[in-house]
Amino acid sequence: MSTRRQLPEAPYLAAATGCKPSHLPVWFMRQAGRSLPEYRELRAKNTMMQACFDPALVCEITLQPVRRHGVDAAILFSDIVVPLRGAGIDLDIVPDVGPVIDHPVRTAADVAAMKGLDLQRVSAISDAVGLLVAELGEVPLIGFAGAPFTLASYLIEGGPSKQHERTKAMMLADPSTWHALMEYLADVTIAFLKVQLDAGVDAIQVFDSWAGTLSLADYRSHVLPHSERVFAALADYRVPMTHFGVGTAELLGAMGEAGATVVGVDWRTSLADAALRVGPNKALQGNLDPVVLLAGWPAVERAARSVVDDGRRAVDAGAAGHIFNLGHGVLPATDPGLLTELVDLVHSL
């Protein structure tokens, strides 16, 4: 394990660990990316996959929103399918589509043929983290990975899916193959997060973007044990660990049991309600609707003040702290100037 940076003044780390921050911390999922003209300029010369495996580019893109907006945390610029590429799976990130898998995983033989994460193939990630830790000063760096269920969905469907039909069919009709795949993906996720932690990230976030498509019963039987194993394997690093999914109101209690110290909440659930569902001693992250940022500053200000008030109610209801964020990622059409104003507003509150 690397020697972790000591950042006693970092508001993000304070709020994530149940301490009192100097101000309400704020960062945004997808804060680095298509909403920023400086990002679009860099990406015009590189594909998404090229950018994800170029340490200097990863460093620069990760730093862009920190410089521009003054957010309280940086999140490593990457993609949740990067570790799958690092395990030798043929895939690409297709513009306006998302990850596309050349040979979807559909059978027990497909699962048995999969290889573990090759650390050499993801050395660019640890190099990028090293560059960032040197550049960020007092700003914490969040590493991340996709959760086993969300990675399984891409592998089985062959790309993004609305209904996740093949994924659920395997889960319900062929549980032995399903659990073998989920165990494999938990191993890959643990190994990939350890790469980032050993290189010096200050916190991690696990994105279970598609878990909200599941019933609570299916989540508990088929997904939760594998997510629990990921968080348990990383607990000794003693860094804040966030668990986030979209449309997960019914799952928040179970997600709170998985072992993360922070639970991300989307915009559909009030933070005060989420605090009761998640249970005490967990910080909450969220949860401004990203679409509000397309509605102009008066709407943004009203909604942001409401989220801050809701976060205070959540802390009164037992949450360990509140980190201001969106309920999902920044949309590409968002005006970056509004994001900067939003950061200033949240800090002033």
Side-chain angles (χ1 to χ4, degrees):
M1 289 189 198
S2 69
T3 309
R4 196 123 345 256
R5 293 192 296 165
Q6 298 302 306
L7 301 173
E9 304 301 317
Y12 168 81
L13 296 177
T17 52
C19 302
K20 192 165 174 58
S22 56
H23 59 251
L24 179 60
V26 51
W27 71 277
F28 306 113
M29 291 180 278
R30 292 204 200 116
Q31 62 189 14
R34 290 172 294 175
S35 66
L36 299 182
E38 57 268 41
Y39 168 80
R40 290 196 296 270
E41 194 178 317
L42 280 179
R43 269 295 313 284
K45 304 165 195 151
N46 304 272
T47 67
M48 180 66 177
M49 270 300 172
Q50 284 169 335
C52 286
F53 285 90
D54 180 326
L57 260 184
V58 170
C59 180
E60 171 57 24
I61 293 168
T62 303
L63 289 170
Q64 285 176 346
V66 179
R67 286 192 209 109
R68 183 188 267 266
H69 304 311
V71 285
D72 293 292
I75 185 162
L76 183 72
F77 174 77
S78 189
D79 189 275
I80 61 171
V81 296
V82 162
L84 300 181
R85 189 48 124 33
I89 292 165
D90 283 334
L91 60 89
D92 198 9
I93 299 170
V94 177
D96 302 320
V97 177
V100 175
I101 312 292
D102 281 3
H103 303 290
V105 175
R106 304 271 165 83
T107 65
D110 292 338
V111 176
M114 298 172 86
K115 300 180 180 70
L117 183 68
D118 179 345
L119 297 183
Q120 284 302 110
R121 293 181 78 150
V122 291
S123 61
I125 310 306
S126 42
D127 293 346
V129 171
L131 293 174
L132 280 159
V133 168
E135 289 281 340
L136 278 164
E138 295 299 304
V139 178
L141 176 62
I142 304 166
F144 80 90
F149 173 78
T150 291
L151 294 178
S153 168
Y154 282 117
L155 283 174
I156 297 166
E157 303 291 341
S161 168
K162 286 201 166 101
Q163 304 299 331
H164 306 274
E165 304 98 311
R166 291 176 181 275
T167 306
K168 291 183 182 182
M170 182 194 285
M171 187 174 82
L172 299 170
D174 190 358
S176 62
T177 300
W178 171 261
H179 286 293
L181 176 60
M182 289 290 278
E183 282 170 17
Y184 164 81
L185 289 169
D187 288 341
V188 168
T189 299
I190 290 163
F192 187 57
L193 286 168
K194 282 185 172 179
V195 165
Q196 298 172 59
L197 285 158
D198 289 340
V201 299
D202 305 292
I204 58 164
Q205 177 155 317
V206 175
F207 286 85
D208 213 348
S209 308
W210 308 134
T213 62
L214 298 172
S215 70
L216 178 57
D218 284 343
Y219 179 81
R220 282 195 174 281
S221 345
H222 301 293
V223 175
L224 180 58
H226 304 285
S227 294
E228 281 179 324
R229 188 158 74 82
V230 171
F231 288 114
L234 304 171
D236 285 349
Y237 284 91
R238 300 188 180 283
V239 301
M241 300 189 290
T242 301
H243 200 13
F244 172 75
V246 185
T248 51
E250 292 302 315
L251 310 182
L252 285 172
M255 289 176 76
E257 296 165 23
T261 50
V262 182
V263 176
V265 183
D266 81 6
W267 66 94
R268 298 169 180 87
T269 309
S270 84
L271 294 169
D273 284 349
L276 300 175
R277 294 180 190 200
V278 169
N281 306 319
K282 305 268 183 194
L284 298 181
Q285 177 176 285
N287 69 340
L288 184 73
D289 184 343
V291 175
V292 171
L293 287 158
L294 307 182
W297 177 250
V300 173
E301 182 177 7
R302 276 195 307 276
R305 288 179 182 276
S306 176
V307 169
V308 171
D309 290 343
D310 194 24
R312 290 184 181 127
R313 287 191 291 274
V315 171
D316 290 342
H322 174 218
I323 297 153
F324 190 102
N325 206 310
L326 305 182
H328 199 195
V330 175
L331 295 168
T334 304
D335 174 0
L338 274 186
L339 282 174
T340 306
E341 282 189 76
L342 177 56
V343 172
D344 291 341
L345 173 68
V346 172
H347 285 167
S348 75
L349 300 174

